[in-house]
């Protein structure tokens, strides 16, 4: 079995957006980025009287926030997809490593909603059966 570092070193150089998205999401989620955004808004507000609260002055902040929001949607979506994929792979590894786990649970994120509903109902029945079993055992201990 290959190690994670070996796989990581084989990552294509063409994954520039993935590397950019990971770095940008790390930086944009920092305290410094928040403080920078706050400072930018305060600076914009202070310049209001200088520009006599003109339409252009308002348009600057409206346009800037619209563009940033539009780009952040894609950045956040990329980050969430990557994180979800990594979590699913970790869960698949745990399922594979546990003898009593069902291998059919690997890659269940690719099932349809109907199949997931069926699986959820199956787990609900198992949970209810376990609860009844616990209640019976508690009743035997109390007797």
């Amino acid at each position: 079995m290959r190690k994670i570092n070996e796989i990581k070193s084989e990552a294509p150089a063409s994954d520039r957006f993935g590397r950019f998205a990971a770095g940008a999401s790390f930086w944009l989620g920092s305290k410094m980025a928040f403080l920078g955004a706050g400072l930018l808004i305060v600076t914009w507000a202070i310049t209001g009287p200088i520009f006599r609260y003109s339409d252009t002055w308002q348009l600057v902040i409206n346009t800037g926030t619209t563009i940033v929001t539009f780009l952040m949607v894609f950045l956040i979506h990329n980050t969430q997809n990557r994180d979800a994929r990594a979590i699913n792979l970790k869960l698949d590894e745990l399922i594979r490593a546990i003898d009593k786990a069902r291998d059919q649970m690997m890659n269940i994120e690719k099932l349809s909603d109907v199949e997931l509903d069926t699986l959820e109902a199956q787990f609900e029945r198992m949970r209810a059966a376990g609860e009844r079993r616990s209640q019976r055992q508690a009743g035997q201990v109390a007797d």
Side-chain angles (χ1 to χ4, degrees):
M1 173 99 41
R2 293 177 4 184
K3 295 181 179 176
I4 299 296
N5 291 341
E6 293 172 4
I7 295 170
K8 189 175 180 182
S9 66
E10 293 176 9
S14 63
D15 189 25
R16 289 187 183 124
F17 179 74
R19 288 194 310 271
F20 167 77
S25 64
F26 177 78
W27 188 83
L28 291 169
S30 70
K31 290 183 251 182
M32 293 306 292
F34 180 79
L35 290 173
L39 184 62
L40 187 65
I41 292 169
V42 168
T43 303
W44 171 79
I46 290 172
T47 62
I50 297 168
F51 293 104
R52 297 187 181 128
Y53 302 101
S54 67
D55 289 342
T56 304
W57 174 79
Q58 293 177 22
L59 188 62
V60 166
I61 197 72
N62 289 341
T63 303
T65 56
T66 300
I67 291 169
V68 169
T69 301
F70 179 75
L71 294 174
M72 287 300 293
V73 166
F74 296 102
L75 186 67
I76 290 168
H77 196 69
N78 176 274
T79 302
Q80 288 179 331
N81 285 343
R82 186 178 55 254
D83 289 348
R85 190 172 177 198
I87 288 169
N88 284 323
L89 289 169
K90 289 175 184 180
L91 289 172
D92 288 349
E93 175 64 12
L94 290 173
I95 291 168
R96 188 193 62 76
I98 298 173
D99 290 337
K100 292 184 180 182
R102 297 182 291 177
D103 289 342
Q104 296 90 347
M105 295 300 287
M106 294 174 68
N107 291 320
I108 66 168
E109 65 276 5
K110 296 178 181 170
L111 296 178
S112 70
D113 285 339
V114 173
E115 292 168 318
L116 288 173
D117 290 343
T118 302
L119 191 58
E120 184 178 22
Q122 182 182 8
F123 273 98
E124 180 59 30
R125 287 190 301 273
M126 289 168 43
R127 186 202 58 77
E131 198 172 279
R132 287 191 301 273
R133 194 170 34 254
S134 294
Q135 288 174 351
R136 280 195 306 267
Q137 289 172 349
Q140 291 173 354
V141 172
D143 290 338

